[in-house]
C-alpha cells in the first residue's frame, strides 16, 4: 500500500488523467488538491472518452472514493454539468465528495478574468478565462465564498449579495462591465447549492479516515510544475500550486503520509497560452507533433504549442517535486521520426545554463542546446513490454532517465488503458524502478 502524488512535470496536459485513471484501479481514494475548471483531464476507456475538469480521474473506478479537496476552486455550474454528463454515460458519482473549504468561482470571477486579459493586451497570460486567477485572488484577499458558505442556509443570501455588491464596484469602475443583479446570483447559486449539498464533507476528516484505515490514496495534480504560482515560469503561470508540495496543503494532510511522487511527462513538450518555451518548434516537425498528438486544449480547444523534450525543465521538476519516478507519455507520437532532439542545457549569449533561470527576461533569451538521437521506424502503439520497444525507443527512454536522474516507472503509448508499459507498479511495487537512473534495466 502507498499514498502517491501524481503531478505534471511540464506545462500541463502531460497525460495525468490517463495515468491517474490507470493507478486508480489500485487506489481506494483519489483527491484533486488544486486548480479548477481550467484543467482538462482526458480518460479513454474502450471506445468512450471522458473529459474531466474538476472531478478526479478516479471516478471511472466504481469503488474508488473521489474527493475534490480544499485547495481547489469550484465552478458549481461546470461541476454540475460534469456530474450530469457522467450520469448520461452511466458513470456513478455517488462516491464523489467535495470539500467544504474549497473556494467557489462566481460569475464575476469569469467576467474579471476575461476583462483583465483583454486589458493586458500584449502582456496577457493566455488564461483559460475560467475565472481561476480572480477566485484565488479573492481567497487571498479574504473576500472569497467557500463551499460551506453555499451549503449552510444561515447567512447564505447576505453573504452572496454582499460579495456581488462588493465586486459590482470593480466590474463597473475598473472594467466598465454592467453590474450583476445580486438576487439573480443568489437564486442561481441556491439551486447549485441544493444539488451539491449531498456531496459536501469535511474532506480532511474523510482523508484522515482513509489514512488511518491504511487505504491507498492517490493525489491528482492539475496543471504542471512550470505553471506553479511560486515555482513556475511566472508570470505565465496559474494561480495555485500544482507541485507535489501543494498536495499536502490542498488536501489537508501532513507530508509524513506521502510515500511516493510520480511525475508525468510527455516524450516531447507542449504548452498552451503565452510565455517563453525554449524548445518550441515552428516548423514541420512541430506540426507533426501537434497533429499526431492531437494537441488541442481539452478545456479551451486552443492548439497547443509543441516542441522537443526539455531536460532542463525536467530536472527542475525532479528537484521541485522530489520525484521518485516518471511516467513518460505519448512516446508513440515520436514514431517514424528520422531523428529526435532533446534539450540538455540552454545557451544565453556566450553562457551555458544548466538550470532554469528565475528571471523571466533571461528565460525568454534561452536557446536550447540539443543532443540528437536516432528515431525509430516501427510503431510502438502495440508494445506492452520494454523488450517489445524498438531499440532506439528504449535508448531514448534510458537517455531521459539518465539526464533527469530519475527512473521511469510507466511508459504510455496511446490514450487507452492497455497502451501502457508498467515497468514498475508505483502503488504496490517496491520503491525502485526497472529502468533506473543510469538507464540500466535491473
Ligand atoms: P492531462 O491534462 O495531463 O490529463 O492531459 P490531457 O488529457 O489534457 O491531454 C493528454 C492527451 O493525450 C489526451 O487527449 C489523452 O487521451 C492523450 N494521451 C494520453 N497518453 C497518451 C499516449 O501515450 N499517447 C497518445 N497518442 N495519446 C495519449
Ligand atoms: P491540465 O490540468 C495546460 C495554462 C493556461 C495559461 C495559464 C494560466 O489539463 O494540465 P489559468 O486559466 O489557470 O489562469 O491560466 O495556465 N493552463 C493550463 N495549461 N493544462 C492545464 O491544465 C492548464 N490550466 C491552466 O493556458 O497559460
Ligand atoms: Mg489537460
Amino acid at each position: 500500500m502507498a499514498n502517491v502524488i501524481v503531478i505534471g512535470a511540464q506545462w500541463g496536459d502531460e497525460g495525468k488523467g490517463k495515468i491517474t485513471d490507470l493507478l486508480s484501479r489500485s487506489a481506494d481514494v483519489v483527491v484533486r488538491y488544486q486548480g479548477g475548471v481550467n484543467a482538462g483531464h482526458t480518460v479513454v476507456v474502450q471506445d468512450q472518452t471522458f473529459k474531466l475538469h474538476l472531478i478526479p480521474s478516479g471516478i471511472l473506478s466504481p469503488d474508488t472514493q473521489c474527493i475534490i479537496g480544499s485547495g481547489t476552486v469550484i465552478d458549481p455550474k461546470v461541476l454540475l454539468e460534469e456530474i450530469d454528463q457522467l450520469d448520461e454515460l452511466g458513470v456513478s458519482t455517488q462516491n464523489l465528495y467535495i470539500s467544504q473549504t474549497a473556494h467557489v468561482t462566481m460569475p464575476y470571477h469569469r467576467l474579471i478574468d476575461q476583462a483583465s486579459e483583454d486589458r493586458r493586451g500584449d502582456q496577457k497570460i493566455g488564461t483559460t478565462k475560467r475565472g481561476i486567477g480572480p477566485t484565488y485572488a479573492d481567497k487571498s484577499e479574504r473576500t472569497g465564498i467557500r463551499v460551506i458558505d453555499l451549503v449552510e442556509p444561515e447567512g447564505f443570501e447576505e453573504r452572496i449579495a454582499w460579495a456581488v455588491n462588493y465586486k459590482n464596484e470593480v466590474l463597473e469602475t475598473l472594467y466598465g462591465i454592467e453590474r450583476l443583479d445580486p438576487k439573480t446570483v443568489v437564486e442561481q447559486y441556491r439551486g447549485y447549492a441544493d444539488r451539491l449539498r449531498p456531496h459536501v464533507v469535511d474532506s480532511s476528516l474523510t482523508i484522515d479516515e482513509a489514512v488511518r484505515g491504511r487505504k491507498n490514496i492517490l493525489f491528482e495534480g492539475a496543471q504542471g510544475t512550470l505553471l506553479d504560482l511560486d515555482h513556475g515560469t511566472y508570470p505565465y503561470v496559474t494561480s495555485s500550486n500544482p507541485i507535489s508540495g501543494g498536495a499536502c496543503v490542498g488536501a489537508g494532510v501532513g507530508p509524513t503520509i506521502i510515500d511516493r511522487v510520480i511525475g508525468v511527462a510527455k516524450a516531447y513538450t507542449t504548452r498552451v497560452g503565452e510565455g517563453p518555451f525554449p524548445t518550441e518548434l515552428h516548423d514541420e516537425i512541430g506540426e507533426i507533433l501537434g497533429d499526431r498528438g492531437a494537441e488541442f486544449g481539452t478545456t479551451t480547444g486552443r492548439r497547443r504549442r509543441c516542441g522537443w523534450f526539455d531536460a532542463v525543465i525536467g530536472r527542475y521538476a525532479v528537484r521541485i517535486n522530489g520525484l521518485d519516478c516518471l511516467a513518460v507519455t505519448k512516446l508513440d507520437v515520436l514514431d517514424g521520426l528520422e531523428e529526435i532532439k532533446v534539450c540538455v542545457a540552454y545557451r544565453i549569449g556566450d553562457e551555458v545554463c544548466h538550470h532554469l533561470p528565475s528571471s523571466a527576461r533571461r528565460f525568454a533569451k534561452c536557446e536550447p542546446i540539443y543532443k540528437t538521437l536516432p528515431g525509430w521506424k516501427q510503431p510502438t502503439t502495440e508494445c506492452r513490454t520494454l523488450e517489445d520497444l524498438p531499440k532506439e525507443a528504449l535508448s531514448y527512454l534510458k537517455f531521459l532517465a539518465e539526464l533527469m536522474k530519475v527512473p521511469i516507472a510507466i511508459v504510455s503509448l496511446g490514450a487507452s488503458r492497455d497502451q501502457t508499459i508498467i515497468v514498475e507498479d508505483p502503488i504496490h511495487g517496491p520503491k525502485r524502478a526497472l529502468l533506473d537512473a543510469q538507464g540500466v534495466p535491473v
Side-chain angles (χ1 to χ4, degrees):
M1 95 104 212
N3 296 326
V4 176
I5 303 174
V6 176
I7 59 99
Q10 296 160 320
W11 275 287
D13 301 327
E14 298 90 348
K16 299 175 291 294
K18 164 167 173 170
I19 301 300
T20 304
D21 165 66
L22 205 68
L23 299 178
S24 292
R25 290 184 293 171
S26 325
D28 302 293
V29 182
V30 181
V31 188
R32 253 289 293 275
Y33 57 85
Q34 47 69 233
V37 298
N38 47 350
H41 296 179
T42 315
V43 181
V44 178
V45 181
Q46 282 146 7
D47 54 351
Q48 273 186 323
T49 299
F50 301 87
K51 292 180 187 296
L52 302 164
H53 300 289
L54 257 171
I55 297 180
S57 304
I59 200 73
L60 302 168
S61 302
D63 299 325
T64 305
Q65 278 189 326
C66 286
I67 300 177
I68 304 178
S70 306
T72 61
V73 289
I74 295 177
D75 185 327
K77 182 169 183 280
V78 181
L79 175 57
L80 286 164
E81 283 166 7
E82 217 174 309
I83 291 174
D84 290 342
Q85 275 166 17
L86 286 173
D87 191 45
E88 275 168 32
L89 293 167
V91 177
S92 165
T93 47
Q94 248 190 327
N95 280 339
L96 178 68
Y97 301 92
I98 302 168
S99 165
Q100 52 192 12
T101 50
H103 277 248
V104 179
T105 296
M106 303 294 292
Y108 47 78
H109 290 133
R110 271 183 184 250
L111 292 171
I112 292 173
D113 197 359
Q114 284 163 18
S116 71
E117 278 285 273
D118 293 343
R119 258 169 84 102
R120 280 167 177 260
D122 60 8
Q123 298 289 307
K124 73 173 188 216
I125 308 289
T127 73
T128 58
K129 299 189 178 176
R130 298 300 192 263
I132 304 300
T135 312
Y136 278 114
D138 279 4
K139 173 178 174 175
S140 298
E141 203 204 353
R142 290 147 296 170
T143 52
I145 305 279
R146 301 195 298 172
V147 170
I148 191 78
D149 299 320
L150 279 197
V151 297
E152 270 183 359
E154 310 82 42
F156 167 82
E157 198 166 330
E158 295 76 19
R159 185 81 191 83
I160 304 278
W162 177 86
V164 174
N165 284 323
Y166 182 81
K167 285 293 164 178
N168 271 339
E169 299 297 324
V170 178
L171 289 181
E172 193 171 48
T173 318
L174 196 57
Y175 298 108
I177 298 175
E178 209 179 311
R179 296 170 82 90
L180 294 165
D181 174 29
K183 277 210 178 83
T184 310
V185 179
V186 164
E187 284 320 308
Q188 199 180 18
Y189 275 68
R190 200 195 301 280
Y192 299 151
D194 288 344
R195 285 200 58 198
L196 292 178
R197 195 172 284 111
H199 296 278
V200 175
V201 293
D202 180 338
S203 59
S204 170
L205 273 180
T206 313
I207 299 169
D208 190 54
E209 266 169 37
V211 171
R212 288 176 193 283
R214 300 186 61 77
K215 308 273 190 202
N216 292 317
I217 308 172
L218 209 57
F219 298 88
E220 179 184 15
Q223 289 80 52
T225 304
L226 277 294
L227 290 172
D228 186 272
L229 178 60
D230 292 277
H231 300 283
T233 46
Y234 192 88
Y236 301 102
V237 294
T238 191
S239 302
S240 66
N241 291 112
I243 60 168
S244 59
C248 292
V249 181
V253 297
T256 43
I257 72 142
I258 305 298
D259 296 297
R260 235 175 271 208
V261 184
I262 306 177
V264 185
K266 275 179 189 162
Y268 51 99
T269 312
T270 63
R271 176 164 206 180
V272 208
E274 305 298 318
F277 176 3
T279 62
E280 183 170 12
L281 292 166
H282 297 282
D283 59 8
E284 196 197 337
I285 303 279
E287 296 267 314
I288 292 175
L289 296 179
D291 291 344
R292 280 224 220 119
E295 296 295 358
F296 293 91
T298 311
T299 299
T300 59
R302 290 179 290 175
R303 195 173 170 98
R304 297 173 182 150
R305 300 154 68 192
C306 297
W308 295 119
F309 189 89
D310 184 336
V312 180
I313 69 164
R315 281 194 298 264
Y316 183 72
V318 173
R319 166 155 56 102
I320 293 292
N321 295 291
L323 294 188
D324 288 299
C325 59
L326 274 182
V328 176
T329 60
K330 301 191 115 170
L331 187 70
D332 56 297
V333 175
L334 302 179
D335 290 354
L337 294 181
E338 207 55 51
E339 51 185 35
I340 299 168
K341 294 184 182 177
V342 176
C343 170
V344 294
Y346 300 141
R347 196 183 307 284
I348 310 177
D350 293 336
E351 191 191 331
V352 174
C353 183
H354 293 278
H355 301 289
L356 183 76
S358 304
S359 152
R361 212 165 287 120
R362 265 170 71 76
F363 187 48
K365 289 186 185 150
C366 285
E367 306 265 354
I369 299 175
Y370 285 121
K371 160 100 177 150
T372 304
L373 286 93
W376 52 91
K377 291 272 171 288
Q378 311 89 307
T380 56
T381 47
E382 302 301 321
C383 296
R384 296 294 177 266
T385 67
L386 289 179
E387 291 71 37
D388 293 343
L389 287 174
K391 69 176 191 324
E392 295 85 356
L394 189 60
S395 302
Y396 180 67
L397 291 173
K398 286 179 178 177
F399 184 65
L400 298 188
E402 210 173 283
L403 269 181
M404 292 167 61
K405 308 234 176 312
V406 73
I408 293 173
I410 297 175
V411 182
S412 171
L413 310 143
S416 313
R417 280 176 173 170
D418 64 321
Q419 291 179 301
T420 313
I421 300 174
I422 306 272
V423 185
E424 180 224 279
D425 178 340
I427 293 188
H428 294 115
K431 198 170 172 172
R432 64 178 177 83
L434 296 177
L435 197 59
D436 78 359
Q438 279 72 48
V440 183
V442 291

